[in-house]
Amino acid sequence: VNSTNRGFNRGLILIVGFVLLAGGLSSIALSAIPAFAELWVAQGQKLTGAATDGFMRISVGTATLADIAVGVFAVILAVVLILFISREGGGRTSTLVEQSADGSRTTRIELGVPRALLQGELSGRPEFVSTRVSAHTVSGTATLNVSVRCRRGIAPADATAIVTRALLGMDQILGTTIPTLVQVGGGFRARFSTRSRLN
Amino acid sequence: VSNRPSVYKRIQRRETHSPRSDLAITLAVVLILALAYLVTEIVLAACGQKALLLAPVQMVSDIVHLYTVRTSILELSGGVLVIVGLVLVVAALSPGRRARHVQYTERAVVVIDNEVIASALVRVAADEAGVDPDNALGAVSRHRVLVRITPASGVPVDRTAVTAAVRERLDAWGLQPALKPRVVIEKIGRVGA
């Protein structure tokens, strides 16, 4: 549950999709419909004419003013895209609880405590291959994320029960309840990791 | 769970649907590379240097006179662009459900991979049918579970009993969305199954 803006993700995919569609349809139409090709050339020449007319005739080297403008726009767009990529997968937090009782003292619970408590409880269980504990901020609330990988054939209800028991134990120690997501997965590693060792 | 419904709703939605991050990041990287190339050509032109591939003037004139390219090439590349574009539009608009089911407990929201549900149900069905778990196959989709059992030759398997066992277990787990079981007993058994 990271804070990736999924609307932006889908928006970018949609825009690129439409641009490719438009480009593809245009190039098919250019070869299939002569009238479209004529219109394309006429409009293209008008546009390039306008872009090199009047004061736009100023050029730097062999680049016209319009070229420079396109270049500046491209740089801005690239920066926006880099920012977009850097924003993916955020929202992790290390502080789960920060409460002040009377305004002068605050109680803080960092991720390390629940992680140690849950790992200590769950990592020894034979039902699980691995356990991971992390924390994210979801709509302003710090939430715990417990991810376990099950061995083959473990009933989901059993996995849930084991994790729930560990969570309730943790709640008692911490004296508070932190909203929690439990992920139960299986997969390649669970199937091929060694089940037991015989000596 | 009951005192933070909005947080849990959001978690459930985000965990059962794909963020489409891989695709979006890939597209962004490709776009950044293309833009970097374009800027390079423009800067080279502004400095009066020779172009790497195409000077900006040449690019514009090539686009305007695109129709002079051979018809077959134009149509083929156009077709490829249309297909890729359609795939992207579908990816952007489809829900992108992940192969997972949700279970609410008094303490947490639990998201379970379909794979885990399938392998647990295979064990349940195999126990009930009296075959080795290796001779039972399970597949879980959004609303359905399909369990295929290969019986041992000459030993009949009671399909109704196996279905009932699977259904009973599913009811106890209370997964969302609910799953409907279907059990298939293979016609041809296997010796030693």
Side-chain angles (χ1 to χ4, degrees), chain B residues 32 55 93 120 131 147 154 163 168:
Chain B
I32 289 169
L93 298 179
V131 301
V147 180
T163 311
E168 187 202 332

Side-chain angles (χ1 to χ4, degrees), chain A residues 1-2 4 6 9-10 13 27 31 40-41 48 60 62 67 88 153 157 160 171 178-180 182-184 186-187 191, chain B residues 4 8 14-15 17 19 21 45-46 60 63-64 67 75 78 88 92 94-95 103 107 109-111 113 115 119 173:
Chain A
V1 267
N2 54 37
T4 301
R6 298 184 169 190
N9 278 357
R10 284 171 183 264
I13 297 169
S27 62
S31 76
W40 178 278
V41 174
T48 46
V60 186
T62 53
D67 291 337
E88 296 282 317
T160 307
D171 288 351
I178 303 161
T180 305
V182 179
Q183 287 172 302
V184 180
R191 201 160 302 152
Chain B
R4 290 246 168 68
Y8 280 109
R14 287 179 83 85
E15 284 302 312
H17 292 80
S21 290
V60 174
I63 293 170
V64 172
Y67 70 95
E75 286 180 354
L88 291 183
S94 60
Q103 188 185 21
R107 178 60 185 84
V109 56
V110 184
V111 181
D113 285 3
E115 200 185 335
S119 90
W173 294 344

